[in-house]
């Protein structure tokens, strides 16, 4: 039936053009879901290549001649090979569609391993025409004895994605879950039917439809996130103003002032010069603290470190030899939001080292490291530590949590940075801040 042949040829060429155009768009366009766009782009590229060569196979099917025979062998070979790796691309897109904190890569590694084995099996088996053959006289396609084995391996790859999707369904956007499942289920049903039906590319028709739906949903999701981001930026000044107020409340604390003034009171009789120095330190601390709160700009890391050192001098006067501070500054020529380091060091003093036994001196380490495209700041202590699960379950308005929350929020807003906290009871606490280089 030549009409069917040309119909499928045109349909698959259109599908190939669409998929390749989508792949180029996804790779070149700006997106707030970059990793999802890249993995979807790879998926669409595989679809585009597969459909192009399958269209060639349809167009030349049954046309006599040795050159056409070679074209048919190559076209079918590449088409079937793409089918082996398409489930891997679907699995990768599924993984990056899961919320970051719930994302795991073990199933992706399993599916990739099966896909690699399937591809290797196919290349070895096809050397003996075990998967398919092209009649050299009629130039018609025939399935080989191994087609069922190859199809079973494809189904095994697909099953991995279905299992992962089912397990992570609560952590994937609902619409994204539905369209990925449709991309998996529709070709799967078509592939099962195609085992029993000759002469119709049911699976490829399903893939064309499903890939278009997948692309539409991704663009819609990206557009929605970009609109939300735009609204967030418009309200950024208000957010920053609220955060400055919270910082003021969390940093200038009555208990700290009381303890510092009490230390000065005692030193006035015991060591007047030291008391005088401590008053100067306290004055400098308050002046810098208030000035930083009023500023909406970032400051140099060195300036923030100087401010932190003023705070530490006051605490050392109170606690004596209860703790020491170690510095390992590999890089310092970068900016950070004001009151970033000091609140974290204050937590290390208050909740970490000073809760240890006086006979067991504490150590607070402040380090910076230069990475490729980022700077890392590390504040670590060997204090008593805490249970992260219990800490994360605390009310956000808790006075023990608001300081760290404010630092994390301001880092995200001002520098697009991230902060990670690691702690374990009895083993101390480590806070890592990762700040991307703006010229990268």
């Amino acid at each position: 039936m030549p009409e069917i042949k040309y119909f499928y040829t045109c349909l698959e060429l259109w599908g190939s053009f669409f998929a390749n155009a989508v792949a180029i768009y996804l790779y070149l366009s700006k997106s707030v879901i970059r990793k999802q766009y890249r993995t979807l782009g790879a998926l669409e590229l595989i679809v585009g290549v597969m459909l192009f060569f399958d269209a060639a196979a349809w167009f030349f099917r049954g046309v006599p001649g040795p050159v056409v025979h070679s074209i048919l062998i190559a076209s079918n070979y590449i088409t079937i090979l793409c089918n082996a790796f398409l489930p891997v691309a679907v699995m990768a897109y599924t993984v990056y569609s899961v919320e970051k904190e719930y994302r795991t890569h073990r199933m992706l590694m399993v599916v990739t391993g099966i896909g690699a084995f399937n591809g290797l099996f196919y290349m070895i088996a096809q050397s003996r025409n075990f998967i398919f053959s092209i009649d050299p006289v009629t130039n018609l396609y025939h399935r080989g004895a191994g087609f069922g084995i190859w199809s079973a391996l494809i189904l095994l790859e697909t099953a991995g994605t279905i299992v992962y999707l089912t397990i992570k369904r609560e952590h994937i956007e609902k619409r994204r879950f539905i369209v990925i499942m449709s991309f998996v289920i529709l070709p799967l049903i078509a592939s099962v039917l195609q085992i029993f039906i000759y002469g119709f590319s049911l699976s490829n028709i399903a893939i064309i439809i499903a890939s278009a739906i997948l692309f539409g949903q991704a663009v819609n999701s990206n557009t929605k996130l970009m609109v939300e981001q735009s609204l967030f930026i418009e309200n950024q000044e208000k957010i920053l103003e609220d955060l400055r107020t919270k910082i003021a409340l969390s940093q200038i604390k009555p208990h700290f002032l009381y303890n510092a003034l009490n230390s000065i009171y005692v030193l006035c009789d015991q060591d007047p010069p030291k008391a005088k120095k401590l008053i100067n330190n306290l004055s400098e601390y308050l002046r810098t603290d208030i000035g930083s709160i009023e500023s909406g700009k970032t400051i140099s890391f060195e300036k923030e470190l100087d401010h932190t050192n003023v705070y530490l001098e006051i605490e050392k006067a109170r606690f004596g030899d209860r703790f020491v501070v170690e510095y390992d500054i590999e890089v310092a020529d970068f900016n950070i939001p004001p009151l970033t380091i000091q609140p974290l060091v204050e937590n290390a003093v208050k909740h970490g080292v000073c809760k240890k036994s006086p006979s067991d001196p504490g150590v607070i380490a402040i380090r910076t490291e230069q990475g490729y495209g980022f700077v890392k700041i590390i504040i670590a202590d060997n204090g008593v530590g805490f249970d992260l699960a219990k800490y994360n379950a605390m009310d956000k308005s808790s006075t023990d949590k608001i300081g760290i929350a404010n630092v994390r929020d301001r880092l995200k807003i001002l520098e697009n940075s991230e902060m990670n906290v690691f702690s374990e009871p009895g083993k101390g606490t480590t806070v890592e801040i990762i700040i991307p280089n703006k010229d990268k």
Side-chain angles (χ1 to χ4, degrees):
M1 293 186 292
E3 294 83 2
I4 293 293
K5 169 181 172 178
Y6 295 126
F7 169 76
Y8 277 123
T9 299
C10 292
L11 177 65
E12 291 195 337
L13 282 176
W14 178 88
S16 174
F17 173 80
F18 174 79
N20 284 304
V22 165
I24 294 171
Y25 170 82
L26 292 171
Y27 274 104
L28 297 181
S29 64
K30 293 183 179 180
S31 167
V32 294
I33 48 174
R34 183 175 296 273
K35 286 186 178 179
Q36 294 174 27
Y37 259 36
R38 295 296 180 269
T39 50
L40 181 57
L43 188 159
E44 295 283 358
L45 183 61
I46 293 173
V47 170
V49 172
M50 181 184 68
L51 291 174
F52 175 81
F53 283 100
D54 198 55
W58 270 98
F59 183 78
F60 290 105
R61 181 175 297 184
V63 178
V67 175
V68 171
H69 182 73
S70 298
I71 292 173
L72 285 169
I73 290 175
S75 297
N76 282 281
Y77 187 92
I78 295 172
T79 299
I80 295 177
L81 188 63
C82 286
N83 271 279
F85 296 109
L86 183 59
V88 178
V90 177
M91 183 67 212
Y93 182 61
T94 303
V95 168
Y96 286 110
S97 295
V98 175
E99 295 172 15
K100 188 175 181 180
E101 58 267 33
Y102 299 101
R103 192 179 298 162
T104 57
H105 294 78
R106 184 174 298 175
M107 186 62 77
L108 174 59
M109 295 171 65
V110 171
V111 172
T112 302
I114 298 172
F117 174 80
N118 195 6
L120 183 62
F121 164 76
Y122 169 70
M123 287 185 283
I124 295 172
Q126 188 52 33
S127 64
R128 299 179 178 273
N129 294 330
F130 190 59
I131 308 300
F132 76 91
S133 63
I134 304 296
D135 189 306
V137 178
T138 63
N139 276 341
L140 292 175
Y141 171 92
H142 299 283
R143 292 175 182 168
F147 185 83
I149 299 173
W150 175 83
S151 297
L153 289 171
I154 294 291
L155 293 176
L156 188 60
E157 291 180 64
T158 305
T161 303
I162 294 174
V163 170
Y164 187 84
L165 264 174
T166 304
I167 294 172
K168 301 292 184 179
R169 63 185 181 280
E170 299 296 330
H171 308 296
I172 303 178
E173 184 185 353
K174 187 175 181 180
R175 290 183 180 178
R176 179 73 56 83
F177 172 82
I178 293 171
V179 298
I180 294 177
M181 190 60 82
S182 70
F183 190 94
V184 174
I185 296 298
L186 288 178
L188 181 61
I189 295 172
S191 296
V192 172
L193 293 175
Q194 197 161 320
I195 293 175
F196 307 100
I197 300 174
Y198 258 141
F200 297 93
S201 291
L202 298 179
S203 61
N204 286 351
I205 293 174
I207 286 173
I208 291 172
I209 296 170
S211 63
I213 295 172
L214 207 62
F215 169 65
Q217 193 281 326
V219 171
N220 179 70
S221 178
N222 183 58
T223 302
K224 181 181 177 182
L225 288 172
M226 289 183 71
V227 170
E228 290 175 355
Q229 189 179 70
S230 177
L231 292 172
F232 176 78
I233 292 172
E234 288 178 6
N235 294 311
Q236 185 172 337
E237 283 302 318
K238 184 180 182 302
I239 293 171
L240 286 173
E241 189 63 39
D242 291 342
L243 287 172
R244 289 180 199 127
T245 303
K246 291 180 180 178
I247 294 163
L249 294 173
S250 66
Q251 296 301 318
I252 306 176
K253 298 175 181 176
H255 77 271
F256 170 74
L257 292 175
Y258 172 80
N259 290 331
L261 291 171
N262 187 58
S263 298
I264 295 170
Y265 176 79
V266 173
L267 287 172
C268 283
D269 292 329
Q270 297 179 352
D271 192 344
K274 191 172 183 179
K276 184 177 180 181
K277 181 181 178 182
L278 189 56
I279 290 173
N280 185 62
N281 287 342
L282 181 60
S283 173
E284 177 64 23
Y285 173 83
L286 293 174
R287 182 166 56 251
T288 308
D289 213 18
I290 295 171
S292 298
I293 292 168
E294 292 174 349
S295 171
K297 300 179 180 179
T298 58
I299 60 174
S300 69
F301 171 76
E302 292 176 335
K303 185 174 181 180
E304 173 67 9
L305 193 59
D306 288 341
H307 175 214
T308 303
N309 287 333
V310 171
Y311 162 78
L312 285 169
E313 286 298 320
I314 297 171
E315 294 291 45
K316 285 178 182 178
R318 290 176 52 204
F319 294 107
D321 297 329
R322 292 283 299 278
F323 68 90
V324 296
V325 183
E326 297 177 349
Y327 299 88
D328 183 10
I329 308 302
E330 180 181 318
V331 57
D333 57 339
F334 62 93
N335 281 15
I336 58 174
L339 297 179
T340 297
I341 307 301
Q342 186 275 329
L344 302 177
V345 171
E346 181 178 341
N347 275 348
V349 173
K350 177 184 174 183
H351 300 293
V353 296
C354 285
K355 284 192 174 182
K356 297 178 66 176
S357 169
S359 61
D360 183 14
V363 178
I364 299 173
I366 302 175
R367 306 195 302 272
T368 63
E369 298 174 1
Q370 178 70 66
Y372 182 75
F374 67 90
V375 172
K376 181 184 286 187
I377 305 170
I378 302 169
I379 297 109
D381 68 73
N382 66 342
V384 296
F386 58 90
D387 189 322
L388 271 174
K390 291 182 179 179
Y391 172 81
N392 290 330
M394 289 169 57
D395 191 314
K396 291 183 179 180
S397 62
S398 170
T399 55
D400 287 335
K401 194 170 183 179
I402 191 170
I404 290 181
N406 285 340
V407 172
R408 179 181 281 114
D409 289 343
R410 288 184 302 120
L411 282 167
K412 184 65 178 177
I413 293 171
L414 291 174
E415 291 292 293
N416 193 29
S417 306
E418 61 178 271
M419 186 179 80
N420 301 304
V421 181
F422 310 93
S423 188
E424 190 174 339
K427 294 187 178 180
T429 302
T430 299
V431 179
E432 292 184 353
I433 298 171
I434 300 173
I435 301 177
N437 293 344
K438 293 185 177 179
D439 58 340
K440 295 293 181 181

